[in-house]
Amino acid sequence: MTLWDSLTGQRPSSSSPSSSSASPPSTTIDTAPSLTDSAPTTSFTADLTAPDASSILLTNPYTDPSRLHPLANLNQDTLDYLTLEDSALSSLPGAQSALPSRGWSDDLCYGTGVTYLGALSLGGAWGLTEGLNRSPANAPPKLRLNSVLNSVTRRGPFLGNSAGVIALVYNLVNSTIGHYRGRHDGVNSVVAGAVSGMLFKSTRGLRPMLISGGLVAGAAGAWAVTRKALF
C-alpha cells in the first residue's frame, strides 16, 4: 500500500501471479570415463637379476683398463725418454767381455765403486787385526773394543779413499786413451795405471811417484790379463 492509497481509501490491486513459474535449475552430471576402459593395457615383466661388476666394467668403454694407464692415448714413438738403450753396448774393439760395458761412464761408475768398496773392506780387516794386536790380552773388553774401532775407522777410510781416487783417475785416463787409439787393450790399462799412480803421489817427489806409478801399473796389467783370460 502506498501513501496515495491510504489517503484516498483505495485498496491496492493484487499483482497477478506470473504466468510461468520459475523452473528449478537443471543440473547435468557427467560421468568420467573409467581408466580401465580407455587406458591401453601393457604387460611388464620385472628383471630381478642384478648385473655383476664384471659385466658393468666390460660393457662400459670408460672403464677399459688400458685407458686407466698414465701413458694411455700417448704416442710412444715421440717420447724420447721411453727409449731405453740397454743393449747399446760399447763398440770399441776389445771393450766387450763377460762384463758388459756401455762406455766410459759404466767403467767410471762400476770400476770406481767396486774398487772403493773392496779397499774399504780390506782396510777394515787391516784395522781389526791391528786393533786386536795392539790391545793387551788382559785389557777390559771396552778398552779392546775402543782400540779395534779406532784402528778400523783409521785404516778403512784411508785405504778406501786412496783406492777410490786412483780408480777414478785410472778410468778417466783409460777411457781417454781408448777413445784416441780406437781400441781397448792391456796397453791402455798399463799406461793409465802408471799415470794415475804418479799423479796420486805427485806431491811427494820423484821417487814416490815412480814407486806409486809402478805399483798401480802392475795392478792394472794384472787386472787386464785376468779380465782377458777369465771374463
Side-chain angles (χ1 to χ4, degrees):
M1 180 180 294
T2 61
L3 180 58
W4 177 258
D5 292 335
S6 300
L7 293 177
T8 58
Q10 293 180 0
R11 294 181 178 180
S13 59
S14 60
S15 59
S16 60
S18 60
S19 58
S20 61
S21 60
S23 60
S26 63
T27 60
T28 59
I29 300 175
D30 297 334
T31 60
S34 176
L35 295 177
T36 58
D37 297 338
S38 59
T41 58
T42 57
S43 61
F44 176 75
T45 303
D47 188 6
L48 300 180
T49 59
D52 54 354
S54 61
S55 62
I56 296 176
L57 293 177
L58 293 177
T59 56
N60 193 352
Y62 296 100
T63 57
D64 187 6
S66 61
R67 297 172 61 90
L68 302 178
H69 195 273
L71 300 179
N73 298 328
L74 292 179
N75 188 4
Q76 297 183 3
D77 296 335
T78 60
L79 300 178
D80 295 336
Y81 64 91
L82 289 178
T83 304
L84 302 178
E85 297 182 356
D86 291 338
S87 59
L89 300 178
S90 177
S91 59
L92 194 65
Q96 297 304 323
S97 63
L99 300 176
S101 175
R102 290 177 294 184
W104 67 273
S105 59
D106 285 359
D107 297 338
L108 181 65
C109 295
Y110 299 149
T112 305
V114 171
T115 304
Y116 172 76
L117 292 177
L120 184 66
S121 302
L122 184 61
W126 178 20
L128 177 63
T129 304
E130 184 182 36
L132 292 176
N133 293 333
R134 283 189 174 182
S135 60
N138 56 354
K142 290 184 178 180
L143 184 60
R144 291 175 63 88
L145 179 61
N146 189 23
S147 176
V148 168
L149 291 178
N150 290 336
S151 299
V152 168
T153 54
R154 182 173 64 252
R155 300 300 183 183
F158 167 74
L159 196 60
N161 294 336
S162 300
V165 170
I166 294 174
L168 179 65
V169 178
Y170 165 80
N171 284 283
L172 289 175
V173 175
N174 189 24
S175 299
T176 303
I177 296 175
H179 173 72
Y180 285 104
R181 288 191 63 204
R183 59 180 304 165
H184 185 81
D185 53 8
V187 177
N188 297 359
S189 299
V190 173
V191 174
V195 172
S196 59
M198 288 188 293
L199 287 177
F200 182 71
K201 290 293 184 178
S202 59
T203 59
R204 297 295 183 89
L206 183 59
R207 181 182 176 84
M209 285 178 58
L210 295 177
I211 295 175
S212 177
L215 292 176
V216 179
W223 162 248
V225 173
T226 304
R227 182 172 178 268
K228 186 176 181 180
L230 300 180
F231 301 104

